Amino acid sequence: MEEDRGAALATERYGSAESWKYFGKHGLMDRRRDGGESESRGKSIVGVFKSVFLPQGYPESVSNDYLQYQFWDTMQAFSSSLSGTLATQASLKGVGVGNQEATVAAATITWLLRDGTGMLGRILFAWRKGSKLDSEAKKWRLFADVLNDFAMFMEILAPYFPACFTLIVCTAGIFKSIVGVAGGATRAALTVHQARRDNMADISAKDGSQETLVNLAGLLVSFLLIPLVTDNPILTLSLFFLFTILHLFANYKAVRSVVMETFNEARLSIVLQQYLTDRRILSPLEANHREPVFFEFRKQVPIKLGVRLQEVVQSPDELSLALKNNNRPFLLGIRNGCVCVCLGPEASVHDEIRAFCQAVWLSSMLREQQSHWEVVHESHKLMDEIFNPFLKGVEAAGWDLKRTLLDWDEWRVEWKTKSN
């Protein structure tokens, strides 16, 4: 068959989606797709769907976990859309829609108070927790969705407590504003992870298209739900809890499917502790599966990164102790049961990783005994022995060492190693 077409002159590919060949015969050039034209026509609808809703160059242009994450993200968006319909109906009923005694002014004031408190909540949350959203994107992503469900539950219950209606919807508005900040910021952090060709804008735009399609589907289903749940609080709550369970499960699966190759505090701590136990380096997949996605409330020894010098040493003698056996651009100390790390301005990414590894080891020692500078000196000796093999191992295992997501504060200190 191929001989009838003539000699093959060239081939071309469109990523992994299409492959074409050029044939020359009788002075003409013919272009045909591998697999035949009938296959091309059969896949045209699928091709259009991919071009509309998936980033250009998919799957090569995105991370390997992209499709699994987007599937679960779509499921959670659909269930959240339906829950939001139930909450919106309850809010409208609470402000007086359908009640002839309700006034437009009262409803408007309630709505403005809700929006105003939400704006203040958004500013305060971004101020207090904005720097944490990059390093703990999975935890804050899941936290945002749990908080969103709780806020919608409050909105559904609000009409049954008319005396406290304004207070309840304002509190729910604050929660939803926090959800907006945390959800949007962590979505951006995950987009950075998914983009493999500097195509963050394309991925973000296609994610918006996917979400719009899901919300449209949720809107159509909502048209069927509204007549059923109107004036039926038992059915409303039953459906809300059903959608909430689906929403939380899909969110959990979504964040669990993400495999980040960049170290944050949790992933680096997990990899280091495994290496100290049996000298085995965990792959990004293994470490991500062990990474906690819920906030932990058990007592841990805190680690502070990028602190001021006075949080590490408080006298010239202590500075000399901090510099003993240490020729690195960082200082470690133990203050009030907390491991503190002071960073120099010339510190590299590898220095940041080493400093945090020492801090993790020190925090594990503090659980056993109250130690001071002797243990700090031991940590320098330990890292001198194991850090270079550890660094080569994590790089070979597929970890990205060009940058980190460690939560460093901005203090940088220069110190004199010798007195003049």
Side-chain angles (χ1 to χ4, degrees):
M1 182 68 178
E2 192 161 306
E3 289 77 5
D4 297 337
R5 299 176 183 175
L9 302 177
T11 59
E12 63 183 6
R13 294 188 305 110
Y14 188 84
S16 60
E18 299 180 22
S19 178
W20 297 77
K21 286 186 177 181
Y22 289 85
F23 297 92
K25 188 175 183 181
H26 305 306
L28 300 175
M29 189 163 64
D30 182 30
R31 179 176 181 263
R32 292 179 177 270
R33 179 171 179 164
D34 277 358
E37 294 185 14
S38 59
E39 183 180 356
S40 176
R41 286 194 296 268
K43 291 186 177 180
S44 59
I45 297 177
V46 176
V48 170
F49 184 85
K50 287 183 177 180
S51 65
V52 172
F53 293 105
L54 294 177
Q56 181 178 341
Y58 171 87
E60 289 85 2
S61 63
V62 294
S63 58
N64 294 331
D65 55 18
Y66 177 83
L67 187 61
Q68 186 177 4
Y69 174 83
Q70 292 303 126
F71 171 78
W72 290 112
D73 189 53
T74 299
M75 292 291 293
Q76 70 85 19
F78 178 72
S79 55
S80 180
S81 176
L82 297 179
S83 298
T85 298
L86 301 176
T88 300
Q89 184 200 35
S91 295
L92 293 174
K93 181 180 179 181
V95 297
V97 174
N99 184 357
Q100 295 180 352
E101 298 180 359
T103 64
V104 174
T108 303
I109 290 173
T110 300
W111 220 257
L112 290 176
L113 286 174
R114 191 190 76 156
D115 290 347
T117 52
M119 292 173 188
L120 292 175
R122 186 178 298 114
I123 293 171
L124 292 174
F125 178 76
W127 167 52
R128 295 295 300 172
K129 297 297 182 181
S131 62
K132 301 285 185 181
L133 300 178
D134 282 303
S135 60
E136 297 181 328
K138 294 182 185 180
K139 289 182 179 180
W140 284 109
R141 178 73 178 179
L142 194 56
F143 170 83
D145 288 300
V146 172
L147 190 62
N148 187 51
D149 289 334
F150 185 69
M152 288 191 290
F153 180 61
M154 292 178 65
E155 290 178 339
I156 289 175
L157 291 182
Y160 303 101
F161 301 92
C164 303
F165 178 81
T166 301
L167 177 62
I168 293 174
V169 296
C170 287
T171 305
I174 294 174
F175 290 165
K176 283 195 169 184
S177 68
I178 294 174
V179 170
V181 175
T186 52
R187 174 66 259 185
L190 293 174
T191 302
V192 172
H193 158 69
Q194 292 173 338
R196 296 305 159 98
R197 293 182 180 174
D198 295 325
N199 55 340
M200 285 179 54
D202 184 29
I203 291 177
S204 181
K206 296 302 169 56
D207 182 66
S209 296
Q210 295 168 21
E211 187 170 349
T212 301
L213 181 64
V214 171
N215 288 335
L216 180 60
L219 181 65
L220 296 176
V221 175
S222 297
F223 282 125
L224 302 176
L225 284 181
I226 293 300
L228 298 176
V229 300
T230 302
D231 298 324
N232 193 337
I234 296 178
L235 181 59
T236 299
L237 287 174
S238 299
L239 289 175
F240 175 78
F241 284 124
L242 175 64
F243 297 145
T244 297
I245 292 172
L246 177 61
H247 179 238
L248 295 178
F249 175 75
N251 268 293
Y252 176 79
K253 295 292 288 185
V255 296
R256 272 295 179 206
S257 68
V258 176
V259 180
M260 290 187 169
E261 300 89 359
T262 308
F263 280 131
N264 67 353
E265 295 181 15
R267 292 189 287 273
L268 180 52
S269 178
I270 290 168
V271 174
L272 176 65
Q273 289 171 353
Q274 184 67 51
Y275 183 77
L276 292 174
T277 301
D278 58 9
R279 292 298 187 268
R280 184 168 71 91
I281 300 291
L282 296 178
S283 68
L285 180 63
E286 292 173 308
N288 276 267
H289 283 171
R290 296 188 187 184
E291 180 185 4
V293 294
F294 294 102
F295 288 105
E296 299 169 303
F297 298 100
R298 69 171 184 261
K299 186 177 179 181
Q300 291 181 325
V301 176
I303 297 175
K304 296 182 179 180
L305 304 176
V307 301
R308 294 172 292 181
L309 181 62
Q310 67 181 18
E311 295 187 52
V312 177
V313 299
Q314 294 186 340
S315 69
D317 291 338
E318 283 193 336
L319 179 59
S320 298
L321 289 171
L323 291 171
K324 184 179 179 180
N325 299 329
N326 179 23
N327 58 354
R328 298 286 174 175
F330 56 82
L331 301 176
L332 292 99
I334 300 166
R335 186 72 55 189
N336 299 323
C338 176
V339 179
C340 300
V341 185
C342 185
L343 197 64
E346 71 278 13
S348 65
V349 174
H350 290 181
D351 291 322
E352 293 179 2
I353 294 174
R354 172 166 173 155
F356 182 76
C357 288
Q358 286 187 235
V360 169
W361 186 80
L362 283 172
S363 68
S364 66
M365 296 301 294
L366 283 180
R367 294 194 188 102
E368 301 173 7
Q369 58 182 9
Q370 187 65 30
S371 305
H372 295 288
W373 293 111
E374 293 79 6
V375 180
V376 174
H377 300 155
E378 289 179 19
S379 73
H380 290 304
K381 295 177 182 178
L382 175 67
M383 286 297 131
D384 286 339
E385 296 175 4
I386 72 166
F387 184 70
N388 285 335
F390 173 76
L391 199 65
K392 292 178 182 178
V394 295
E395 189 171 16
W399 290 96
D400 180 8
L401 301 182
K402 298 183 181 66
R403 65 186 187 96
T404 69
L405 294 173
L406 301 176
D407 188 24
W408 289 93
D409 206 344
E410 293 302 311
W411 292 103
R412 297 295 180 269
V413 183
E414 295 185 58
W415 53 82
K416 294 182 179 180
T417 57
K418 295 181 181 179
S419 58
N420 295 327

